[in-house]
């Protein structure tokens, strides 16, 4: 649930178990509730940083987990990271456009199944009100 409406995603625990487990742990711990989308560009929205400036995380990192069947296409849900491939923690992005140049470099672990119109309306500073697992 965001300031602009609901975004429903599905995740792929069989294809990216480490990444999905990390994301679900953060959701269950209410880590994301109240955080903002700090980065909004023509191609993507990014959030999950408790500092709100693109530099924060949960206090740990996870290894880069790539599944060749999951591509950086419009609607993809993937982990953001620093230059170190194994530096993802809590920040994630949702793509508003296909970005095949990111394939093999960022862990895609889900996709938007409902609410791409909401993704398109998100602006920098908009909040994630609540995240929940169904």
């Amino acid at each position: 649930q965001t300031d602009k409406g609901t975004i429903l995603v599905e995740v792929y625990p069989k294809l990216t178990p480490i990444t999905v487990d990390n994301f679900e742990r953060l959701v269950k711990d209410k880590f994301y509730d109240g955080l903002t989308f700090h980065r909004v560009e023509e191609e993507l929205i990014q959030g999950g940083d408790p500092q709100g400036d693109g530099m924060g995380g949960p206090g740990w990192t996870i290894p880069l987990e790539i599944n060749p069947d999951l591509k950086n296409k419009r609607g993809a849900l993937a982990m953001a990271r620093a230059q170190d491939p194994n530096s993802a923690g809590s920040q994630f992005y949702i793509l508003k456009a296909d970005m095949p140049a990111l394939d093999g470099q960022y862990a895609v672990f889900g996709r938007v199944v409902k609410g791409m119109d909401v993704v398109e309306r998100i602006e920098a500073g908009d909040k994630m009100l609540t995240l929940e697992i169904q």
Side-chain angles (χ1 to χ4, degrees):
Q1 190 65 36
T2 73
D3 284 338
K4 299 285 170 66
T6 301
I7 303 168
L8 180 63
V9 298
E10 66 181 9
V11 295
Y12 306 116
K14 290 182 180 175
L15 301 177
T16 53
I18 296 166
T19 308
V20 170
D21 183 60
N22 181 69
F23 185 75
E24 289 183 342
R25 173 183 171 189
L26 292 166
V27 170
K28 287 175 186 172
D29 289 346
K30 304 289 185 194
F31 178 88
Y32 293 112
D33 293 6
L35 298 185
T36 62
F37 290 97
H38 64 274
R39 179 179 173 200
V40 176
E41 298 181 5
E42 188 175 321
E43 306 87 6
L44 61 83
I45 63 172
Q46 183 173 322
D49 175 9
Q51 294 177 199
D53 62 4
M55 302 302 289
W60 66 81
T61 59
I62 59 172
L64 178 62
E65 185 175 41
I66 299 295
N67 184 295
D69 294 332
L70 301 176
K71 304 294 185 188
N72 278 277
K73 296 184 175 197
R74 177 177 162 80
L77 172 64
M79 293 303 291
R81 61 172 177 79
Q83 284 193 321
D84 177 352
N86 299 308
S87 62
S90 59
Q91 294 187 46
F92 64 89
Y93 63 84
I94 298 173
L95 289 178
K96 299 191 286 185
D98 293 353
M99 295 192 70
L102 301 179
D103 290 344
Q105 298 181 54
Y106 293 84
V108 176
F109 66 99
R111 72 176 180 94
V112 174
V113 294
K114 186 177 180 185
M116 275 305 294
D117 59 322
V118 176
V119 171
E120 293 287 352
R121 291 194 307 269
I122 294 289
E123 297 175 29
D126 283 347
K127 287 188 177 180
M128 295 176 237
L129 303 176
T130 59
L131 275 74
E132 58 185 56
I133 297 171
Q134 296 181 346

